[in-house]
Every structure is written in structure tokens, then in C-alpha cells.
Amino acid sequence: MVPHGLFGMLVFVVAEIMFFAGLISAFVVIKAGSVVWPPPNQPRLPVEETALNTLALLASGFFLILAHRAFHRGDRESTRRPLWLALALGAFFVLFQGAEWVAMLGQGLTLTSSSLGSFFYMIVGVHALHAVAALVLLAVAAARLRRGWLTPGLFGAAEALWFFVVAVWPILYFVVYL
């Protein structure tokens, strides 16, 4: 039987997949209908820097897989380190994205500057919101692990949300940045 927390999170993730599919579809239609992309007088997105940040996020997902395996073997002690590494790399990703936003704002890319700005902040911002929520849930899981009362349902829910964040980002990177 699937724990209730995990089941609820999986239903939420399916709904969010549809939400992101709508955002991506709208972006692709607007981009394809533009004569020039990015719009004139708008900065280029930092493709190379964000590629490195993407690797940090993917590494975070890898460490969460290691934590998952250790947790389900019953080895709580071996779960801690990869879980904290996943959290640290995830926090790095979010902070790096925040710094990217500040830089883009400084270069004139805003919500109202162009369709690129509108979609960039909407899509990347919604992803960042999911990433922050998932990091909070992973931090709760880490705290409960430390106290010895982390349940498979809570850990599974945290994993499902984080794996969604990790899995959707390369798609967003490819569609929005490239």
C-alpha cells in the first residue's frame, strides 16, 4: 500500500506536470510566432552559468537517490550524509537562480520588458517556488531522520516533490534558455 503522504504528493505532482506543460506550450507558441528572439533590446540569458547550476541540481537528485536507498535498507545513519548533500546542492541551485534573477533585472529584463521577461520570470519563478517548497520538505525529513522518527510516507512525499523539481528543470532549461 502507498502511504497517504506519498500518494497525495504524487497527485499534486501530476497536476503540476500539467501546469508546467501549459506554461511551456504557451512559451513555445509565443517564441515560434516571434520574428526575432529574444526580443530586441533584451539581454541574452546566461546559458553557460545556468548549465553549471543545472549540474548542481542533477547532482542533488543523485544524492537523494543514494539517501533513498540507504533509508529503505534501514540504514538511517547512511541516509544522513547524502540527504544533507542533496539539500545543500538544492539550496545552491536556488540561490544561484536568485543571483541570476538579480543580474537579469540589472540588465533590463523584467516582467513587463518583453514576452521573454514575462515568461522567464513566470516559468523559472514557479519552478523556484516548487524548489523552495521541496527543500523545506526535505529539511523537515532530515530533521525527523535526526530525531529517529522519519516515516516512509513523509520521506517519499519529499522525494517525489524534489525529483519532480529535478526532472522538470532540464526541460525548462532546454526550452527557455536554448
Side-chain angles (χ1 to χ4, degrees):
M1 188 162 126
V2 177
H4 297 299
L6 175 57
F7 180 76
M9 186 58 73
L10 291 174
V11 170
F12 175 75
V13 164
V14 168
E16 294 305 289
I17 289 169
M18 291 185 282
F19 177 68
F20 273 98
L23 287 174
I24 291 167
S25 297
F27 178 78
V28 167
V29 167
I30 294 297
K31 184 178 177 181
S34 297
V35 176
V36 177
W37 196 264
N41 302 319
Q42 291 295 281
R44 300 270 181 211
L45 298 177
V47 174
E48 295 84 11
E49 295 91 342
T50 306
L52 291 173
N53 201 29
T54 299
L55 292 176
L57 184 64
L58 294 173
S60 174
F62 170 75
F63 284 114
L64 191 56
I65 289 170
L66 296 179
H68 171 90
R69 289 180 180 166
F71 180 77
H72 289 288
R73 280 194 319 264
D75 188 353
R76 304 289 199 248
E77 198 58 39
S78 295
T79 304
R80 286 186 185 151
R81 184 179 180 110
L83 180 55
W84 280 106
L85 286 169
L87 268 163
L89 287 165
F92 173 84
F93 174 83
V94 169
L95 292 172
F96 190 94
Q97 287 301 112
E100 177 181 288
W101 275 32
V102 170
M104 292 286 92
L105 286 168
Q107 295 176 34
L109 186 68
T110 67
L111 274 169
T112 58
S113 65
S114 66
S115 54
L116 171 62
S118 298
F119 276 109
F120 173 76
Y121 289 110
M122 173 63 80
I123 293 171
V124 175
V126 170
H127 182 266
L129 182 63
H130 285 80
V132 169
L135 285 171
V136 168
L137 198 51
L138 283 174
V140 168
R144 287 191 173 193
L145 177 68
R146 188 179 70 238
R147 292 183 185 107
W149 40 280
L150 176 60
T151 64
L154 175 67
F155 192 45
E159 288 177 294
L161 187 54
W162 189 248
F163 287 137
F164 166 70
V165 166
V166 171
V168 78
W169 179 253
I171 297 164
L172 298 179
Y173 176 73
F174 180 77
V175 171
V176 174
Y177 286 79
L178 303 180

